[in-house]
Amino acid sequence: MIVLKNISKIFQTGKESLTAVDDVNLTIARGQIYGIIGYSGAGKSTLIRLLNGLEKPTSGSVVIADHDISAAKGEALRRARLKISMVFQHFNLLWSRTVSENIAFSMQIAGVPKADIKKRVAELVELVGLKGRENAYPSRLSGGQKQRVGIARALANNPDVLLCDEATSALDPQTTDQILDLLKDINTRFNLTIVLITHEMHVVRKICDHVAVMENGKVVEEGDVLQVFTHPQKEITRQFVRQISQHDDDDAFQPELADNLSGTIIKLTFVGTSTHQPVVGELTLRYGVPFNILHGRMTQTAQGVFGQLWLHVNATQEQLENILNDLRQHEIQSEVIQRG
């Protein structure tokens, strides 16, 4: 559906040059919700402007639904953009137009007949949950309602791709979850490909199938969400994964729980069906040593659930090696975080 091949974008500022996107290669399948995450300055916003043709790459190609966006010009680029819509962080609504008029605007520009516009607007108002607010102006809407208008407007011309540039970062947590649920519902109903630019791992965890992590213009890590959450390879990815614990301190492991414990502390990570295995009981029976559960948590992602468990055990070195081997055979990731 979307193929980025050796994409680079270099900006010239006087005699200086700034590489905003550096040799990025990505493939996004049709119907995926694909997250691109990074801190400010990572290059993710420039990347999304390359996807919709607002910027031309310095090198490489952007192909969407067999159309080379990076090479398209004039009328060909305009037609291609009709199938690539955008949802913005700060809504970008026309304040002098009502909800219905904002949604209708892009269809009017595209020359859609008035009767078709009226029908489509009614459908979209219903879809995004704004029934009864059709004649309200943006100044009378909450932040979440404004973003619903933005989403409806982006869907007006039946796009193939929906680009979301920090679409929830101006919203409170509860409204963020409601907007993410709406995007997930739209993706499921219409098999719409959604690309989410964000700096919030919660957004990726909740609805994304796949994620790419950007740093200094490069994609440093990429994979399905469960894989990246359970086996982060780069330090920046581990920082993003730790965001989830920081946003829910009551559910985070407290290191002081391990103070004054003389044995070994093992962190287990379970994915999929392994979350239902009675691992602690089986290990206790097999090795005849008691396990002390220090902490446990379950995390839900769009791809499924994964669990983490911190265990304390007094075991010999031989017993410990056998325990770790047993865990590997059950496809349970284990990490010794303290040796006694």
Side-chain angles (χ1 to χ4, degrees):
M1 178 60 180
I2 302 175
V3 179
L4 281 68
K5 188 174 182 180
N6 302 123
I7 282 289
S8 292
K9 178 63 180 180
I10 302 172
F11 292 101
Q12 294 296 144
T13 55
K15 295 182 180 180
E16 301 293 323
S17 62
L18 172 67
T19 302
V21 177
D22 190 358
D23 195 29
V24 167
N25 292 276
L26 289 177
T27 299
I28 301 172
R30 184 180 297 277
Q32 272 191 333
I33 302 181
Y34 197 103
I36 299 175
I37 192 167
Y39 292 118
S40 297
K44 57 190 189 296
S45 291
T46 300
L47 186 63
I48 206 169
R49 291 172 64 85
L50 292 168
L51 285 173
N52 62 14
L54 290 175
E55 296 283 357
K56 293 292 185 183
T58 305
S59 60
S61 63
V62 178
V63 177
I64 300 179
D66 298 324
H67 296 288
D68 190 342
I69 302 298
S70 52
K73 297 179 180 178
E75 181 62 19
L77 179 58
R78 190 190 73 83
R79 289 198 306 271
R81 279 181 178 160
L82 287 175
K83 293 299 182 181
I84 308 169
S85 286
M86 188 91 155
V87 179
F88 301 91
Q89 177 180 0
H90 295 295
F91 322 126
N92 285 20
L93 301 182
L94 298 171
W95 292 84
S96 61
R97 286 176 171 251
T98 65
V99 167
S100 292
E101 290 168 344
N102 266 283
I103 297 171
F105 185 62
S106 63
M107 290 184 283
Q108 293 168 344
I109 292 175
V112 178
K114 287 184 179 180
D116 292 342
I117 291 176
K118 184 177 180 180
K119 179 182 178 183
R120 182 64 174 155
V121 168
E123 292 172 350
L124 290 168
V125 165
E126 184 78 30
L127 175 67
V128 301
L130 289 175
K131 190 71 173 175
R133 304 292 287 164
E134 299 94 326
N135 298 317
Y137 288 91
S139 61
R140 307 294 293 178
L141 301 177
S142 68
Q145 289 172 330
K146 291 172 189 173
Q147 196 57 286
R148 289 174 186 270
V149 178
I151 292 169
R153 179 186 56 190
L155 296 174
N157 287 309
N158 296 296
D160 295 322
V161 176
L162 185 64
L163 306 177
C164 300
D165 189 5
E166 301 279 9
T168 60
S169 62
L171 305 175
D172 62 77
Q174 183 178 0
T175 306
T176 290
D177 281 347
Q178 292 169 355
I179 294 298
L180 293 177
D181 287 339
L182 175 60
L183 290 172
K184 181 64 176 177
D185 179 58
I186 290 167
N187 165 260
T188 302
R189 287 195 196 195
F190 306 113
N191 196 35
L192 181 66
T193 305
I194 299 177
V195 181
L196 282 168
I197 299 294
T198 185
H199 64 273
E200 299 173 294
M201 203 60 169
H202 167 70
V203 172
V204 172
R205 179 188 70 170
K206 187 170 176 65
I207 67 168
C208 291
D209 308 305
H210 221 76
V211 61
V213 183
M214 289 193 72
E215 185 178 29
N216 298 324
K218 292 181 176 291
V219 171
V220 296
E221 191 162 349
E222 188 249 357
D224 68 63
V225 169
L226 265 179
Q227 177 69 22
V228 170
F229 261 86
T230 56
H231 298 85
Q233 300 299 305
K234 302 292 184 179
E235 176 55 30
I236 187 170
T237 310
R238 289 190 283 270
Q239 290 176 21
F240 279 122
V241 171
R242 285 196 292 269
Q243 278 185 7
I244 303 301
S245 296
Q246 291 167 0
H247 284 302
D248 194 356
D249 290 337
D250 291 340
D251 200 27
F253 175 65
Q254 305 299 322
E256 57 267 23
L257 293 174
D259 289 349
N260 303 317
L261 292 178
S262 59
T264 299
I265 297 174
I266 309 171
K267 176 185 174 183
L268 311 185
T269 300
F270 309 78
V271 178
T273 57
S274 66
T275 58
H276 303 296
Q277 297 181 37
V279 174
V280 178
E282 289 183 359
L283 291 175
T284 299
L285 291 172
R286 185 168 300 160
Y287 295 100
V289 293
F291 287 83
N292 181 22
I293 298 175
L294 300 178
H295 185 73
R297 60 182 293 159
M298 301 287 279
T299 302
Q300 183 69 47
T301 74
Q303 290 190 315
V305 67
F306 72 91
Q308 294 175 314
L309 195 63
W310 283 258
L311 301 176
H312 168 250
V313 62
N314 282 299
T316 67
Q317 183 61 35
E318 181 180 356
Q319 285 175 323
L320 180 60
E321 293 301 323
N322 288 334
I323 289 167
L324 297 176
N325 185 56
D326 272 355
L327 292 169
R328 283 191 291 270
Q329 290 181 4
H330 284 81
E331 298 183 347
I332 297 171
Q333 178 188 350
S334 60
E335 177 187 358
V336 177
I337 62 175
Q338 176 181 302
R339 289 182 181 271

